[in-house]
Amino acid sequence: MSRPDYLNMKNGDSHRAEPVVLDAGSYRDEVVTTDARKVLRNTYMLLSMTLVFSAAVAGMSMAFNWPHPGLILTLVGYFGLLFLVEKTKNSAMGLVSVFALTGFMGLTLGPIVSMYAKLPGGTEMIMTAMGATGLIFFAMSAWVLTTGKELSGMGKTLMVGILVAFGLSIANIFLGLPVLSLAVSGMFVMLMSGLIAYQTSAIIHGGETNYISATVTLYVSIYNLFLSLLQILGVMGSDD
């Protein structure tokens, strides 16, 4: 009996792969194994499903006017479910964990979007943020896929940058400085854009062989990118 892809993915399977040459245009050709292409395909498929599911949960949250769970519960729920995904990523339970995580994040997103929707021009801000998020995601992904860029060296820089930005965002909850909020949102836009490119590169170069982990990284990037763009548009709109 054949097993699902997530049980078949092992680092030692690379010897079975037939190399496929990726057209890199004026850049050097990059050899991508069939295993890497499978991980990429499965990642995009699962990412699409989690985005739809998360949006549906956010829509329900908005429709029923559910309150935001608050900072503490959000952090506990996020990191707890993230830990669960990491522990179960090599089994079928990993898929359940991914949908639990993305559904929870959709639940936290709904009240935030509702708040922006009530502002003057709020609907336009939300649509603009969504469009810009999609454009950045496809642009960064296409850049890596067409050039075959190897970006493993960005890992530590991105990690440090994300930790700094996260710390500043927590601090600003108590400080309430609009300028700092705008700066942190700008940092997250750049960092999440870089993380999308980094994760895509890791997939095609074999640095990431688990599509559940890859999906979570890309989902979190898209989630934070959207919220950061929405916050920037909100701050800019309030200055008018």
Side-chain angles (χ1 to χ4, degrees), residues 196-209:
I196 290 169
Y198 171 81
Q199 183 62 83
T200 304
S201 175
I203 294 172
I204 66 174
H205 290 287
E208 177 59 83
T209 59

Side-chain angles (χ1 to χ4, degrees), residues 59-71:
M60 290 179 59
S61 177
M62 295 173 66
F64 292 102
N65 199 27
W66 292 338
H68 193 277
L71 177 62

Side-chain angles (χ1 to χ4, degrees), residues 13 31 37 50 92 96 139 151 201 233:
D13 289 344
V31 175
R37 295 175 67 218
T50 55
V96 177
L151 302 176
S201 175
L233 292 171

Side-chain angles (χ1 to χ4, degrees), residues 14 35 42 77 79 83 118 123 136 157 175 189 194 197 199 224 231:
S14 58
D35 279 352
N42 290 343
F79 285 110
F83 176 79
K118 295 175 183 176
T123 302
I136 291 172
T157 301
L175 298 175
V189 169
Q199 183 62 83
N224 287 313
Q231 188 163 18

